[in-house]
Amino acid sequence: MEKSCPPLRIGSHVMATNDDYCGMIGNSPQMLELFDLIACVAEEGSSTVLIQGESGTGKELIARAVHDNSPRRTGHFVPVNCAAIPDELLESELFGYVKGAFTGAMQSKIGRIQHADGGTLFLDEIGDMKSTLQAKLLRVLQEREVEQVGGVRPTKVDVRVIAATHQNLDHLVASGRFREDLYYRLAVIPIIAPPLRERRSDITLLIERFIDRFTRRKTDRRTMLDPQALQSLMAFDWPGNVRELENLIQRLVILHRGKRISMKELPEKYRCEHVVANGADAGCAGPGGEISTVAAHPQSTAPGIQWGDEGIDFNMLISDFEDRLILEAISRSGGNKKEAARLLNLKRTTLIEKIKKKNLPV
Ligand SMILES: Nc1ncnc2c1ncn2[C@@H]1O[C@H](COP(=O)(O)OP(=O)(O)OP(=O)(O)O)[C@@H](O)[C@H]1O
């Protein structure tokens, strides 16, 4: 039976109770907003969608969730990774070919666009598509028809196209490597998949779910992470996003089945000892050994904050800073919440409420 995720919106309020939506785990404000957007886009059923986000942020999961909950769910979901198929093959893969169109075309074959007729075509890594194919794809979106390689007559198709990329398409358009007209055709509904480091409050929930997933039987003892190991993973910057976290947890569960994992069992690059010891301002080394909190701007009054062209996400940074202060106070007080509240000059009940609300690993 097809899986269907109920709309998250009730009246004008987004329900904050779902933490697993169409297989996507998360209960941070960013993810709840995303689930709500997926529900709206799915219901609409036909507009082209462009999903942008770093590698491993769940772009394909988003595309599947849109398809599975749309009126098109009885049609095929056809994924095509434009970067994985050599340029010279991609055209015939997408458009199909007629017998004799080229050497080796012994018989006609329909392409993946036609295969997705009535369903959804997911074009992953669209930024890697060469320009001649971009022009052909634009025609499909405009005319709603495909022409097989070597064919003479176009065929009508009813396909929703969802494209995704980890590249900055604005930059590719500006540098002439991606057609502007195609960009606007694709980005009718833009969706941003947020990186994991911008929604750290999801990390504990993801870890819990992945531990469950990789624990073989329900009766097996669960593998656990001790608070310091958890804090360390919460402080890490996750350049490979959810995929990297999922792979790490799988590895830890296999190597330490049913055990309690401490910091020393974490692979070295995930051990953010200085964060656990110093909390707040300490960053955690990224894959190249660099410290991921960004160097201060010479005139900055807020060291460590990266002011991009679009400014900063004030609420996210304040919330992140609050998390770090709470975790540091807990660490300094050896896990004693009363003492941690004293160090923070907060009421114990206020601290406990915040820990619960933020789902902090203490
Ligand atoms: N929110 C999430 N909840 C659960 N699993 C997730 C989530 N986001 C990503 N994943 C998992 O992370 C892995 C990568 O997801 P996915 O392939 O959708 O990412 P992507 O952004 O398309 O990556 P890429 O750009 O490298 O193709 C998958 O195993 C997926 O199940």
Side-chain angles (χ1 to χ4, degrees):
M1 207 176 85
E2 293 292 336
K3 184 177 179 193
S4 158
C5 312
L8 287 172
R9 206 176 267 285
I10 289 188
S12 60
H13 299 287
V14 176
M15 279 167 64
T17 50
N18 287 52
D19 54 26
D20 181 348
Y21 189 73
C22 311
M24 304 186 68
I25 300 159
N27 60 10
S28 59
Q30 293 95 320
M31 288 305 279
L32 293 177
E33 210 174 289
L34 178 62
F35 297 159
D36 196 41
L37 180 59
I38 291 171
C40 293
V41 174
E43 195 180 305
E44 188 271 338
S46 63
S47 300
T48 307
V49 180
L50 176 64
I51 308 170
Q52 300 195 74
E54 292 174 15
S55 180
T57 45
K59 297 186 292 297
E60 180 158 353
L61 276 189
I62 296 173
R64 284 185 187 273
V66 169
H67 172 78
D68 287 348
N69 291 283
S70 74
R72 299 179 166 272
R73 63 180 161 270
T74 48
H76 294 291
F77 176 84
V78 182
V80 179
N81 187 327
C82 303
I85 302 177
D87 282 348
E88 59 282 8
L89 288 185
L90 188 56
E91 181 174 2
S92 55
E93 272 299 315
L94 283 175
F95 292 86
Y97 50 84
V98 296
K99 187 177 170 185
F102 46 81
T103 326
M106 312 294 269
Q107 48 195 311
S108 299
K109 189 177 168 221
I110 66 159
R112 301 212 202 171
I113 299 176
Q114 273 179 280
H115 192 53
D117 196 12
T120 306
L121 177 72
F122 175 56
L123 294 174
D124 202 1
E125 304 301 357
I126 189 82
D128 286 338
M129 187 180 267
K130 66 173 180 174
S131 61
T132 46
L133 259 190
Q134 290 175 27
K136 277 196 86 170
L137 177 64
L138 183 65
R139 265 202 61 199
V140 175
L141 295 174
Q142 279 169 342
E143 316 295 336
R144 300 279 156 196
E145 54 188 32
V146 277
E147 197 171 312
Q148 289 178 305
V149 176
V152 283
R153 226 174 293 117
T155 312
K156 284 278 170 208
V157 278
D158 166 28
V159 178
R160 166 179 250 178
V161 173
I162 302 183
T165 178
H166 69 279
Q167 303 187 65
N168 185 323
L169 275 195
D170 281 334
H171 289 175
L172 293 188
V173 169
S175 61
R177 281 178 292 157
F178 201 83
R179 291 180 69 114
E180 194 173 8
D181 43 10
L182 178 59
Y183 173 69
Y184 289 118
R185 273 275 165 186
L186 292 173
V188 176
I189 299 178
I191 295 183
I192 303 292
L196 191 52
R197 67 180 166 282
E198 286 179 12
R199 48 185 179 97
R200 288 180 197 274
S201 63
D202 284 336
I203 293 175
T204 37
L205 182 64
L206 283 159
I207 291 175
E208 287 280 311
R209 296 300 182 82
F210 290 148
I211 289 179
D212 285 344
R213 187 180 296 171
F214 298 122
T215 302
R216 275 188 302 227
R217 290 175 297 251
K218 291 250 176 305
T219 48
D220 285 351
R221 259 186 74 184
R222 271 182 107 249
T223 311
M224 281 171 61
L225 288 153
D226 78 10
Q228 293 208 325
L230 259 177
Q231 280 178 37
S232 191
L233 296 186
M234 283 207 50
F236 189 67
D237 261 2
W238 302 106
N241 293 292
V242 184
R243 177 184 287 116
E244 184 179 6
L245 177 61
E246 186 179 11
N247 292 344
L248 175 71
I249 298 301
Q250 180 171 22
R251 171 172 161 190
L252 290 173
V253 170
I254 290 170
L255 296 180
H256 308 280
R257 253 182 219 292
K259 302 217 175 81
R260 192 178 167 90
I261 295 164
S262 67
M263 188 105 115
K264 67 179 191 315
E265 269 96 38
L266 296 180
E268 200 177 337
K269 77 171 183 179
Y270 298 104
R271 283 183 226 150
C272 305
E273 272 118 352
H274 54 297
V275 174
V276 175
N278 305 321
D281 274 344
C284 197
E290 75 280 11
I291 296 294
S292 57
T293 44
V294 187
H297 187 272
Q299 286 96 42
S300 180
T301 52
I305 304 300
Q306 190 173 30
W307 294 80
D309 284 350
E310 288 159 10
I312 57 166
D313 184 335
F314 181 79
N315 291 330
M316 193 270 291
L317 287 169
I318 293 293
S319 163
D320 200 40
F321 190 55
E322 228 185 346
D323 293 356
R324 285 163 179 253
L325 288 178
I326 292 172
L327 290 173
E328 180 172 7
I330 295 282
S331 166
R332 281 173 187 265
S333 64
N336 181 328
K337 295 194 180 107
K338 192 170 166 203
E339 173 61 9
R342 191 193 65 77
L343 287 175
L344 292 165
N345 276 295
L346 288 176
K347 276 197 201 150
R348 190 175 146 275
T349 47
T350 310
L351 176 63
I352 289 170
E353 251 169 52
K354 281 183 185 292
I355 290 171
K356 221 168 138 188
K357 198 164 152 211
K358 289 163 159 283
N359 205 9
L360 290 173
V362 296

